């Protein structure tokens, strides 16, 4: 299943190059180009990590699980079930 | 100053569809069991406050987006930190919406893998956002008619299978009601904070404030009625164990030859769900635009779309992980952020305006004496 993500990413990259990169380069909007390129690279890096199943990159869920103790104490306080 | 793309009516429709679309798949305030409808009503008060705060901020700083106002009133450093916190809140909520819709689509298209479904959903959203905010407003006006008719029709069809004894005992456990209220306040009511980013584009806002609130209260009314319908038809226990309570309710409904009502419900789920994703997606584009001080938000549509597809797969590999993250841990973060973000900015904006007034009243006598 993961190789299918390769096609999806390729589709996004192609559309991005055709729709944004060329006009931005022609307009010499280098800042826009750098920011959008950086976001695209981030998606690509995590996409490749997902496809390879290597899990080399930090999982963003880490930022969510930080709140586990708070969530547990809330559930304990209000006796939330389920 | 932003150009005015949206009418107050379109903005009200946006509020209505955002609330309905984000919470229709599940039951709002479901931890309160048979009192979920009461929790929904009480939780809606938090949303009223958020709506008040964002409109008040916009009155103090008209024509500016809240993400820009935050850096003006709090300074660049603090304002950017707050904007980053809001971005993470919006991002996590958005990927949860995306997962909800995909989970629903999987029940209808079980052979299509998620890797295919995500881009199939995100790319049309990108296309719609490229068309602009006006299209989003008009889309809302079309969707609201269809979804309202189906929702009212569904509730009416459910009336014969209503069992009011399922709604008893009333107010059994105050802890459950409080928990349900807080969950309902976080999802969906505090989510209206995203609409602060659209406020500068609304024309004649001051004259049409009542319209905006009416959109909100109409959604609260519909959600409360849906809560009552689901619990009265399924009962608290069945509601708790079913993954999609409204879907289960619609399967129970049916009169003689008029069966398969769930397909109608699926239609409103899907169209309101897509609209919610569109609103949040556009909101995220605005935040990224302001964080990096970009000239246009359209340039980030496709890169953020790719991020959405990848991160939803990466962060929510299965439903168990999603249930744990989305229902237990994420609300602990999103609730205070969505509530405190407008509160802090409103307090800072009021303080700054007061200081400006005081300094101008101090300088005026001097100016008079020198003149």
């Amino acid at each position: 299943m993961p190789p299918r993500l390769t096609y999806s990413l390729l589709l996004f990259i192609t559309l991005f190059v055709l729709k944004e990169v060329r006009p931005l380069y022609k307009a010499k909007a280098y800042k826009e180009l750098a920011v959008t390129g950086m976001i695209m690279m981030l998606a690509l890096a995590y996409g490749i990590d997902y496809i390879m199943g290597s899990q080399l990159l930090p999982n963003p869920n880490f930022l969510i699980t930080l709140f586990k103790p708070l969530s547990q104490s809330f559930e304990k306080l209000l006796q939330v079930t389920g | 100053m932003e150009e005015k793309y949206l009418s107050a009516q379109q903005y009200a429709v946006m509020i209505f569809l955002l609330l309905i679309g984000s919470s229709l798949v599940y039951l709002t305030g479901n931890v309160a069991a048979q009192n979920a409808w009461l929790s929904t009503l009480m939780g809606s008060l938090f949303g009223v406050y958020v709506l008040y705060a964002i409109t008040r901020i916009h009155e103090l700083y008209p024509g500016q987006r809240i993400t820009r106002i935050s850096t003006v009133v709090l300074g660049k450093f603090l304002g950017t930190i707050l904007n980053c916190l809001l971005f993470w809140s919006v991002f996590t909520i958005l990927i949860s919406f995306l997962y909800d819709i995909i989970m629903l689509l999987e029940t209808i298209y079980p052979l299509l893998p998620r890797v295919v479904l995500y881009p199939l959903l995100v790319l049309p959203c990108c296309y719609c956002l490229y068309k602009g905010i006006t299209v989003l407003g008009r889309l809302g006006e079309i969707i609201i008619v269809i979804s309202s008719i189906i929702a009212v029709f569904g509730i009416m069809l459910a009336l014969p299978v209503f069992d009011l004894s399922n709604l008893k005992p009333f107010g059994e456990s105050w802890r459950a009601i409080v928990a349900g209220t807080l969950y309902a306040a976080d999802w969906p009511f505090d989510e209206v904070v995203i609409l602060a980013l659209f406020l500068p584009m609304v024309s004649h806002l001051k004259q049409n404030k009542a319209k905006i609130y009416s959109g909100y209260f109409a959604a609260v009314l519909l959600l409360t009625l849906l809560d009552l319908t689901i619990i009265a038809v399924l009962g608290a226990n069945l509601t708790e164990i079913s993954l999609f309570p409204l879907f289960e309710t619609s399967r129970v409904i049916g009169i003689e030859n008029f069966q398969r009502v769930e397909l109608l419900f699926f239609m409103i789920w899907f169209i309101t769900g897509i609209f919610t994703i569109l609103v949040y997606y556009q909101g995220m584009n605005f935040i990224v635009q302001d964080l990096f001080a970009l000239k246009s938000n359209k340039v980030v549509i496709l890169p953020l779309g790719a991020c959405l597809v990848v991160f939803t797969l990466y962060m929510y590999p299965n439903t168990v992980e999603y249930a744990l993250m989305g229902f237990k841990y994420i609300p602990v973060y999103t609730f205070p952020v969505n509530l405190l973000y407008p509160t802090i900015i409103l307090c800072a904006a009021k303080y700054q305006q007061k200081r400006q007034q005081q300094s101008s009243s101090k300088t005026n006598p001097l100016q008079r004496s020198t003149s």
Side-chain angles (χ1 to χ4, degrees):
Chain A
M1 193 188 291
R4 282 178 185 155
L5 184 63
T6 319
Y7 301 121
S8 306
L9 283 172
L10 280 174
L11 184 64
F12 271 102
I13 291 166
T14 314
L15 285 171
F16 173 63
V17 170
L18 292 174
K19 190 108 178 88
E20 299 300 345
V21 175
R22 282 173 64 188
L24 284 175
Y25 186 74
K26 277 180 185 168
K28 291 182 180 172
Y30 297 120
K31 190 186 174 186
E32 272 76 7
L33 211 55
V35 170
T36 51
M38 193 185 71
I39 300 169
M40 206 62 178
M41 287 296 280
L42 188 75
L44 203 63
Y46 271 92
I48 291 167
D49 196 41
Y50 181 79
I51 293 163
M52 307 285 274
S54 51
Q55 299 202 329
L56 287 170
L57 295 169
N59 194 329
N61 278 347
F62 161 71
L63 293 169
I64 300 169
T65 43
L66 281 176
F67 299 95
K68 189 179 174 180
L70 209 62
S71 163
Q72 283 174 338
S73 49
F74 172 78
E75 288 186 349
K76 208 173 170 183
L77 181 74
L78 294 171
Q79 294 168 2
V80 178
T81 52
Chain B
M1 283 266 268
E2 298 279 347
E3 282 181 61
K4 306 287 182 193
Y5 296 109
L6 291 167
S7 67
Q9 187 183 310
Q10 285 172 333
Y11 190 76
V13 166
M14 239 180 191
I15 297 173
F16 179 85
L17 289 172
L18 178 78
L19 292 177
I20 299 297
S22 65
S23 56
L24 209 59
V25 178
Y26 305 107
L27 181 78
T28 324
N30 59 341
V31 288
Q34 72 276 11
N35 297 308
W37 62 273
L38 184 64
S39 290
T40 303
L41 272 180
M42 294 203 302
S44 68
L45 296 175
F46 287 86
V48 174
Y49 164 71
V50 173
L51 210 53
Y52 161 76
I54 59 171
T55 46
R56 189 79 189 96
I57 292 166
H58 189 256
E59 277 173 9
L60 293 170
Y61 289 87
Q64 286 195 58
R65 261 203 300 266
I66 197 164
T67 38
R68 285 181 195 159
I69 299 169
S70 70
T71 52
V72 170
V73 298
L74 294 164
K76 200 151 191 181
F77 181 71
L78 265 179
T80 308
I81 288 177
L82 265 190
N83 289 344
C84 287
L85 291 174
L86 181 72
F87 170 78
W88 183 241
S89 168
V90 168
F91 186 75
T92 49
I93 291 171
L94 183 54
I95 59 167
S96 306
F97 288 158
L98 206 58
Y99 193 87
D100 285 343
I101 292 259
I102 293 300
M103 210 157 61
L104 196 70
L105 280 176
E106 270 187 329
T107 57
I108 291 139
Y109 305 112
L111 294 177
L112 268 177
R114 277 178 197 173
V115 180
V116 178
L117 286 171
Y118 283 125
L120 274 179
L121 199 71
V122 173
L123 282 170
C125 290
C126 291
Y127 175 77
C128 191
L129 295 186
Y130 266 113
K131 289 285 163 194
I133 304 289
T134 319
V135 169
L136 197 63
R138 285 182 195 154
L139 182 71
E141 281 179 314
I142 298 166
I143 288 173
I144 196 169
V145 180
I146 306 163
S147 48
S148 302
I149 291 169
I150 297 173
V152 172
F153 183 63
I155 291 170
M156 280 167 65
L157 277 178
L159 284 174
V161 279
F162 250 58
D163 184 1
L164 290 174
S165 65
N166 283 333
L167 296 166
K168 290 175 186 170
F170 174 70
E172 189 186 24
S173 159
W174 68 268
R175 283 175 199 268
I177 293 173
V178 171
T181 303
L182 292 175
Y183 276 117
D186 168 59
W187 165 80
F189 298 116
D190 275 2
E191 285 168 7
V192 290
V193 74
I194 195 77
L195 294 164
L197 296 156
F198 295 84
L199 271 175
M201 294 165 198
V202 183
S203 56
H204 310 297
L205 184 70
K206 222 169 187 179
Q207 298 94 311
N208 293 301
K209 256 185 166 178
K211 254 186 196 173
I212 288 164
Y213 281 100
S214 65
Y216 180 84
F217 287 117
V220 172
L221 183 72
L222 186 58
L223 285 176
T224 312
L225 281 174
L226 284 171
D227 272 12
L228 279 168
T229 309
I230 291 167
I231 297 161
V233 172
L234 294 181
N237 292 331
L238 201 57
T239 305
E240 202 181 326
I241 57 166
S242 62
L243 190 59
F244 306 119
L246 188 62
F247 190 64
E248 292 298 327
T249 310
S250 57
R251 285 169 82 166
V252 175
I253 301 168
I255 305 165
E256 289 177 8
N257 295 327
F258 193 75
Q259 302 291 326
R260 304 301 302 263
V261 182
E262 72 264 23
L263 293 175
L264 285 175
F265 273 91
F266 173 74
M267 214 167 106
I268 52 166
W269 264 334
F270 193 71
I271 53 177
T272 56
I274 289 276
F275 189 81
T276 309
I277 288 173
L278 282 171
V279 171
Y280 256 77
Y281 193 172
Q282 183 59 54
M284 193 169 71
N285 292 339
F286 284 144
I287 299 171
V288 174
Q289 185 196 357
D290 289 342
L291 273 175
F292 293 100
L294 302 175
K295 283 175 197 153
S296 164
N297 64 70
K298 286 194 176 172
V299 291
V300 292
I301 293 175
L302 278 166
L304 284 177
C307 276
L308 281 179
V309 171
V310 171
F311 281 97
T312 317
L313 282 163
Y314 204 91
M315 289 167 74
Y316 299 145
N318 51 56
T319 310
V320 177
E321 188 97 357
Y322 170 67
L324 196 67
M325 295 285 167
F327 294 101
K328 286 184 187 284
Y329 306 154
I330 288 178
V332 183
Y333 173 76
T334 53
F335 177 62
V337 169
N338 293 351
L339 194 69
L340 291 176
Y341 180 81
T343 309
I344 293 168
I345 295 171
L346 180 62
C347 292
K350 276 189 172 175
Y351 176 72
Q352 206 180 51
Q353 289 248 326
K354 215 174 179 180
R355 241 178 54 173
Q356 276 173 353
Q357 278 171 358
Q358 277 175 350
S359 63
S360 64
S361 65
K362 273 179 192 170
T363 50
N364 275 348
L366 279 171
Q367 281 171 345
R368 257 183 254 130
S369 64
T370 50
S371 64

